Amino acid sequence: MTPDINELNREMKDVEQAVAEALDYAGKLGSSAVECAISRSRGINVGTRLGEVETVEFNQDGALGITLYRGQHKGSSSTTDLTPAAIRAAVEKANDIARYTSADPHAGLAPAELMATDIPDLDLCHPADQSAEFALEQALQCERHALKQDERIVNSDGAGYSSHVGYRVYGNSHGFLAGYLQSRHSLSCALIARSGEAMQRDYSYTVGRRREELWTPEQVAEDAAQSTLARLDSRKIATAKVPVLFRADVANSLFGHLVSAISGGNLYRKSSFLLDHLGKQVLPEWLTISERPHLRGGLASSPFDQEGVATQARDIVADGVLQTYLLTSYSARKMDMQPTGHAGGIHNWEVTHQDKSLQQLCKEMGTGLLVTELMGQGVNMVNGDYSRGAAGFWVEQGEIQYPVEEITIAGNLKEMLCNIVAIGNDVDLRHGVRTGSVLVESLRIAGT
Amino acid sequence: MSSKLQSNQQLNQQVEANLLHQHELDIDALQQSLQSIYSGAIDFADIYLQSSVNESWVLEDGIVKDGSFHIESGLGVRAIHGEKTGFAYADAITPAALRQASAAARGIANDGAQATMQALQVRSQSERYQPLNPLPSLDEAAKIDLLREIDAFARSLDPRVVEVIASISGSYDEILVAATDGTLASDIRPLVRVNCTVLVEQNGRRERGSSGGGARVGYSYFSDPINELPRWQTYAKEAVRQALVNLDAREAPAGTMPVILGAGWPGVLLHEAVGHGLEGDFNRKGASAYAGKIGEMVASEHCTIVDDGTLSNLRGSLSVDDEGTPAGYNVLIEKGRLVGYMQDKLNARLMGVEPTGNGRRESYAHLPMPRMTNTYMLAGEHDPADIISSVKKGIYAPHFSGGQVDITSGKFVFSASEAYLIEDGRITAPVKGATLIGNGPDAMAQVSMVGNDLELDSGIGVCGKDGQSLPVGVGQPTLKLDALTVGGTA
């Protein structure tokens, strides 16, 4: 039940042919430029709960997206039906739409000279057993182990295992046509613990392109159990202004907001709190963020972006100074700059860290809040105002005192990013942004 | 509630032709597939067929830069044994795809004795919206003209408007569901949406405002007059108004204080603080803060909260849910007392109750779950002005951007996008957006005054659960919570 990589490669070649035909057909309809992508994936997703099988889902997903230009007029369409007739219909629909949209001087493909010329093998596809038996055993083993951890764990929200393989093919009328295979496997477990009347839920997960690099079911179980139990008997705290330590698994969200703030779409719309900050200080001087798109087996690795632009290793922020915006070809033209290979997002950011454990960071903080959960969308990208629900732990003199919940933390992102005091060595490798825990100088906490 | 009842004992012939006959399938083929799955070891199985198209057009910088069109069709087969569900789907509707998906789904249980399923039969259902395709209800040139008009109108309202993004989108969904319990149902679901976002600038300070709406109707809805203005103009005016208010907003207070929520969209409070916690799956599993509390007081006596999928043409309304159960008017909390959960077939059966018409799925490629439709609180007796004047110091929040909830602990957040200080019973200065946080049952116990001004939202809600997105509605009258934590910076 393990997908055969040669077969996947053959299938991807057929899909490349389908993309080539779509591009060709668009040309025949009189388009001046066209781009087309097809991605497909298949696999299994299972869930267990309280030692029993809950769901077995066989997934197979695919979609084609086409964007076509008649001069500077753009039309787009997409379909999940990948039969030749449906693909032709999608091309025709995009062509029709381009008859109605306005001429946009900035519309078009990315420049031909930026297309990826050789496609490095980034080692992104490692198929694994996709049988229901194997998948269920992973989840059952994890959940069984979790439920044994402590008698206060009274319920389970289930364990899940998933394994998928697939590919992405992209081509455009510059003559670019390439694809690559990829895989993704994950195991997760969510638990419910009780103390008196109050229940708490938490979870853990592991994810990777190779099944072998996943944590063991026991590791996931123990991590989930520990997190859930630690939340029991949470309290509210008084409204205050204190330093805040974002644990690594939530700290990446701070850099996620940075991604939005330096993305072309928000910049040319003047909807970012970091307008005109290229070459300026946006983080403390000791902090550098490097992007590594060609990291072998990386979760966010990619040889080219969604417009075929070659991705390249670079510093995003060096010594606290912003080195580049994140631009698609459209936003680049709007801003009179060059595309940066970020159509579709970022590729493995590595954030500087210091040689400090989470415990040492707590010591450095002294008295303050360790945040382990953030809730809600209270971020205003236009002005950087930040106000989100939070849960975590109250820390005094460097020691965790008790769990905290039902509070908010608020500040302004521009200041928060500049006021990062330290970053730990507890780097979370499960995200596109790889960072350790982040200590921020001072934020407003609203509680009782 | 106000929808006309129609006896409709036949499948919609158009749906039957599009989803079955065009693909060399018919009702007999569905019956045979279901029968092949149904055995002593399978309690229930269903087949869901779907075809949908949607379009969207976006204006920005004064021009319509992009239009897009998406088409999707497929089938999903589900087999249930006890609490176990086997599920497979295909992005093509063919006899072979139906066979393969059926075989994969039934793998959830070992063979048992053959049992005979109920014969498929169409039952009567009430139509909550017209079975129309909104996409051709306006020609392409007119859709583009509408966007241009919104742009020009928004810019004409105030010189501080520096950017307008206007969008129009519509979708048309045909579904057909057949199940071993004899269910055979079809539905045609139109949905349209218009939105206007503006950016205003004054002395270097920029703020954004956004407004819009939609319903299960054709595009002419947006030209209908509201107080003598075409509806789309009300969206543009509202977006500009919100953005200008925020230009003057000062820092919001931090701490626990009285909070008054406006009527309509702030009903997102109920969606997060109450609604999700009352979905059957979380309660069957004992994972909800509301589990096992039927009959208990879970809100103040002023609160009666319903989930109502029967309202005509609303975004969250359904003629039948995705399991073929007619949508219902379900009372969840009556005068503070918990009286019912929202159920799909699986959870209803396991909890020994009836399905409530809340079994929904994002598409054929997703499993149904108990989900909300339109969730709102019934009107109370207070004049909204009296509610405001009852607060010495607190905040008034008439607009929100969204929320989130932890079902198990009951903690929820929702983020105000427009808010004001209340000082000595009067609304005074606008304050910046802030997140409000509380615990569902505790917060609902704090509701001390309910207005007489029940409003439903304008048709903008999207609810996410387990990675599945669905259109929903919310609503409420103006209401006062004596204490809620406000996440400001001041």
Side-chain angles (χ1 to χ4, degrees):
Chain A
M1 285 294 275
T2 302
D4 178 49
I5 207 148
N6 295 320
E7 198 176 302
L8 279 167
N9 263 313
R10 278 194 295 277
E11 202 182 300
M12 185 171 73
K13 287 287 162 219
D14 289 343
V15 166
E16 284 180 5
Q17 185 56 35
V19 169
E21 283 167 19
L23 297 174
D24 189 48
Y25 186 55
K28 289 199 176 100
L29 293 179
S31 68
S32 46
V34 57
E35 56 190 329
C36 179
I38 293 181
S39 55
R40 300 197 76 170
S41 81
R42 63 170 174 266
I44 189 163
N45 183 14
V46 305
T48 65
R49 186 173 163 269
L50 296 177
E52 297 285 340
V53 176
E54 187 165 55
T55 53
V56 176
E57 264 187 61
F58 300 95
N59 306 126
Q60 46 169 334
D61 298 292
L64 166 141
I66 184 153
T67 298
L68 169 159
Y69 301 89
R70 298 183 66 86
Q72 295 305 112
H73 301 259
K74 178 182 176 186
S76 313
S77 75
S78 56
T79 172
T80 58
D81 183 346
L82 301 180
T83 56
I87 292 177
R88 276 195 303 279
V91 178
E92 286 162 11
K93 192 70 203 179
N95 188 51
D96 285 347
I97 289 171
R99 292 178 195 280
Y100 292 99
T101 51
S102 316
D104 182 349
H106 304 105
L109 303 178
E113 64 273 18
L114 296 183
M115 295 296 111
T117 44
D118 58 341
I119 310 298
D121 176 7
L122 300 181
D123 195 33
L124 303 182
C125 191
H126 294 275
D129 191 344
Q130 292 188 350
S131 69
E133 292 73 21
F134 179 80
L136 285 167
E137 190 42 42
Q138 298 296 305
L140 285 168
Q141 198 180 330
C142 178
E143 204 203 17
R144 267 198 303 266
H145 190 70
L147 291 169
K148 281 195 308 216
Q149 296 300 305
D150 193 292
E151 60 187 15
R152 289 170 297 168
I153 297 175
V154 294
N155 200 347
S156 162
D157 221 7
Y161 177 83
S162 76
S163 176
H164 293 89
V165 293
Y167 45 83
R168 183 165 94 77
V169 171
Y170 170 84
N172 64 31
S173 51
H174 290 320
F176 182 90
L177 180 60
Y180 56 89
L181 302 180
Q182 46 190 354
S183 59
R184 193 176 173 93
H185 319 281
S186 71
L187 174 65
S188 64
C189 181
L191 300 171
I192 294 171
R194 177 183 282 279
S195 169
E197 273 291 286
M199 292 191 296
Q200 293 287 351
R201 174 191 183 277
D202 211 334
Y203 68 100
S204 178
Y205 73 99
T206 173
V207 57
R209 295 210 181 262
R210 289 174 187 268
R211 206 194 65 73
E212 298 73 25
E213 62 192 33
L214 298 187
W215 301 348
T216 64
E218 288 76 16
Q219 282 173 300
V220 174
E222 287 165 22
D223 190 51
Q226 198 183 8
S227 300
T228 310
L229 292 167
R231 281 172 176 258
L232 286 175
D233 305 313
S234 281
R235 309 181 206 168
K236 236 173 136 158
I237 50 174
T239 300
K241 199 162 189 180
V242 292
V244 172
L245 176 56
F246 294 83
R247 197 174 65 187
D249 55 334
V250 295
N252 59 76
S253 71
L254 294 176
F255 298 105
H257 301 316
L258 175 66
V259 171
S260 299
I262 63 170
S263 287
N266 283 326
L267 292 168
Y268 81 72
R269 292 185 178 98
K270 296 196 171 16
S271 295
S272 163
F273 61 91
L274 290 180
L275 287 187
D276 304 320
H277 271 65
L278 195 61
K280 292 188 186 157
Q281 198 84 27
V282 295
L283 288 168
E285 271 175 29
W286 54 270
L287 217 162
T288 291
I289 298 175
S290 319
E291 187 170 54
R292 300 280 173 262
H294 296 178
L295 198 65
R296 287 180 63 79
L299 281 172
S301 294
S302 178
F304 52 87
D305 78 353
Q306 289 186 358
E307 298 184 295
V309 173
T311 49
Q312 47 177 302
R314 64 171 99 211
D315 284 349
I316 304 294
V317 173
D319 304 324
V321 175
L322 183 62
Q323 303 296 306
T324 180
Y325 290 142
L326 311 176
L327 303 179
T328 62
S329 70
Y330 186 81
S331 50
R333 277 186 291 263
K334 289 287 282 187
M335 298 169 71
D336 206 11
M337 298 177 81
Q338 283 292 305
T340 59
H342 288 101
I346 60 155
H347 320 281
N348 306 312
W349 278 16
E350 291 178 351
V351 179
T352 312
H353 63 80
Q354 296 150 327
D355 192 22
K356 295 171 182 168
S357 66
L358 181 60
Q359 208 176 6
Q360 284 169 309
L361 288 178
C362 282
K363 289 257 182 292
E364 189 167 335
M365 177 167 69
T367 295
L369 182 71
L370 168 62
V371 172
T372 57
E373 187 191 16
L374 288 167
M375 286 179 86
Q377 306 86 29
V379 177
N380 183 334
M381 208 34 74
V382 179
N383 57 25
D385 285 342
Y386 182 96
S387 167
R388 299 188 72 187
F393 299 89
W394 183 248
V395 176
E396 274 175 34
Q397 289 165 349
E399 300 291 334
I400 288 179
Q401 303 295 313
Y402 48 83
V404 171
E405 65 178 3
E406 209 180 321
I407 55 165
T408 60
I409 55 174
N412 184 278
L413 274 170
K414 199 170 162 181
E415 291 162 21
M416 287 163 69
L417 292 172
C418 284
N419 291 344
I420 293 175
V421 186
I423 297 186
N425 57 13
D426 54 339
V427 179
D428 188 347
L429 299 175
R430 298 172 298 181
H431 293 273
V433 176
R434 300 172 166 215
T435 179
S437 297
V438 171
L439 178 57
V440 175
E441 207 164 68
S442 170
L443 291 175
R444 173 65 72 182
I445 296 178
T448 54
Chain B
M1 289 187 292
S2 58
S3 173
K4 64 178 182 232
L5 272 163
Q6 275 185 358
S7 179
N8 177 14
Q9 310 277 32
Q10 257 191 325
L11 275 186
N12 180 293
Q13 292 193 350
Q14 182 190 327
V15 176
E16 193 174 343
N18 287 344
L19 293 182
L20 295 175
H21 301 165
Q22 249 188 45
H23 307 282
E24 294 161 39
L25 287 169
D26 57 20
I27 291 164
D28 282 346
L30 299 183
Q31 171 107 26
Q32 282 163 22
S33 288
L34 287 169
Q35 183 59 52
S36 78
I37 302 169
Y38 200 48
S39 68
I42 293 288
D43 303 318
F44 174 86
D46 65 5
I47 300 171
Y48 184 86
L49 301 112
Q50 182 187 25
S51 160
S52 58
V53 291
N54 60 67
E55 65 170 353
S56 81
W57 301 85
V58 184
L59 173 142
E60 191 181 345
D61 295 334
I63 56 175
V64 177
K65 287 181 178 177
D66 199 7
S68 61
F69 183 82
H70 179 73
I71 182 159
E72 180 164 347
S73 66
L75 61 86
V77 180
R78 168 173 72 143
I80 297 176
H81 167 58
E83 298 188 28
K84 301 178 187 165
T85 301
F87 179 52
Y89 57 88
D91 51 17
I93 302 175
T94 64
L98 178 60
R99 266 197 307 280
Q100 283 161 16
S102 301
R106 95 175 295 292
I108 195 74
N110 299 322
D111 285 340
Q114 276 299 119
T116 304
M117 62 170 276
Q118 297 274 320
L120 292 177
Q121 195 185 357
V122 179
R123 290 171 179 79
S124 67
Q125 67 189 56
S126 304
E127 286 191 6
R128 306 300 180 185
Y129 29 79
Q130 294 299 311
L132 57 87
N133 183 353
L135 275 61
S137 69
L138 200 60
D139 67 35
E140 315 305 33
K143 289 168 196 163
I144 284 161
D145 282 345
L146 176 61
L147 295 179
R148 289 194 175 127
E149 284 184 88
I150 293 173
D151 179 57
F153 182 70
R155 287 175 194 275
S156 76
L157 290 172
D158 195 289
R160 289 168 288 180
V161 174
V162 294
E163 181 58 282
V164 177
I165 300 175
S167 62
I168 182 169
S169 59
S171 67
Y172 173 74
D173 221 3
E174 291 183 357
I175 67 124
L176 191 157
V177 56
T180 52
D181 61 7
T183 299
L184 180 61
S186 64
D187 198 11
I188 290 181
R189 298 171 181 165
L191 189 63
V192 294
R193 175 98 162 77
V194 158
N195 202 74
C196 175
T197 299
V198 302
L199 192 73
V200 297
E201 195 171 323
Q202 174 178 282
N203 302 331
R205 180 166 171 179
R206 288 180 308 275
E207 294 289 348
R208 209 191 258 266
S210 190
S211 179
R216 296 198 178 278
V217 294
Y219 285 126
S220 64
Y221 175 78
F222 299 110
S223 305
D224 292 345
I226 304 295
N227 297 329
E228 297 178 10
L229 290 183
R231 192 185 303 269
W232 60 264
Q233 287 194 6
T234 64
Y235 299 154
K237 286 180 91 157
E238 176 60 17
V240 172
R241 190 194 62 75
Q242 274 185 32
L244 294 177
V245 165
N246 282 325
L247 278 179
D248 295 323
R250 61 177 73 168
E251 291 198 349
T256 300
M257 62 195 77
V259 172
I260 294 177
L261 303 174
W265 176 241
V268 68
L269 163 81
L270 309 175
H271 181 98
E272 304 297 353
V274 179
H276 279 297
L278 299 184
E279 289 167 341
D281 47 354
F282 298 124
N283 288 284
R284 170 175 67 80
K285 297 173 184 177
S288 165
Y290 292 97
K293 296 212 156 100
I294 292 275
E296 291 181 26
M297 290 297 284
V298 295
S300 81
E301 67 204 18
H302 309 293
C303 300
T304 295
I305 300 168
V306 301
D307 183 81
D308 182 2
T310 69
L311 295 168
S312 285
N313 298 340
L314 287 199
R315 185 173 163 86
S317 296
L318 293 171
S319 297
V320 291
D321 70 6
D322 293 314
E323 298 181 310
T325 307
Y329 174 86
N330 295 297
V331 180
L332 306 174
I333 291 175
E334 189 165 21
K335 294 183 178 155
R337 203 171 293 284
L338 178 59
V339 294
Y341 297 127
M342 289 168 276
Q343 300 288 2
D344 62 358
K345 284 183 176 176
L346 168 68
N347 290 287
R349 186 171 51 78
L350 293 170
M351 290 180 82
V353 296
E354 290 298 310
T356 56
N358 291 91
R360 303 184 65 186
R361 62 202 293 176
E362 182 180 305
S363 79
Y364 65 87
H366 299 86
L367 277 170
M369 289 183 282
R371 301 293 296 264
M372 284 174 262
T373 60
N374 305 298
T375 313
Y376 58 94
M377 182 186 288
L378 301 193
E381 57 193 15
H382 292 281
D383 185 326
D386 295 341
I387 300 180
I388 302 282
S389 63
S390 74
V391 170
K392 184 152 175 50
K393 188 168 183 300
I395 71 160
Y396 169 64
H399 279 284
F400 284 84
S401 55
Q404 188 185 331
V405 61
D406 175 331
I407 299 300
T408 305
S409 70
K411 300 294 169 295
F412 68 91
V413 294
F414 59 137
S415 299
S417 54
E418 180 185 353
Y420 302 84
L421 289 178
I422 303 177
E423 294 165 303
D424 294 322
R426 287 188 314 118
I427 292 174
T428 57
V431 293
K432 290 185 171 195
T435 288
L436 276 56
I437 189 163
N439 171 309
D442 293 348
M444 296 313 293
Q446 295 291 326
V447 174
S448 60
M449 291 176 94
V450 177
N452 55 14
D453 56 342
L454 169 63
E455 245 182 69
L456 276 292
D457 79 282
S458 61
I460 57 173
V462 178
C463 169
K465 175 176 171 183
D466 279 358
Q468 293 194 41
S469 291
L470 287 174
V472 295
V474 298
Q476 67 178 29
T478 299
L479 53 89
K480 172 176 156 189
L481 290 89
D482 285 338
L484 196 62
T485 301
V486 178
T489 47

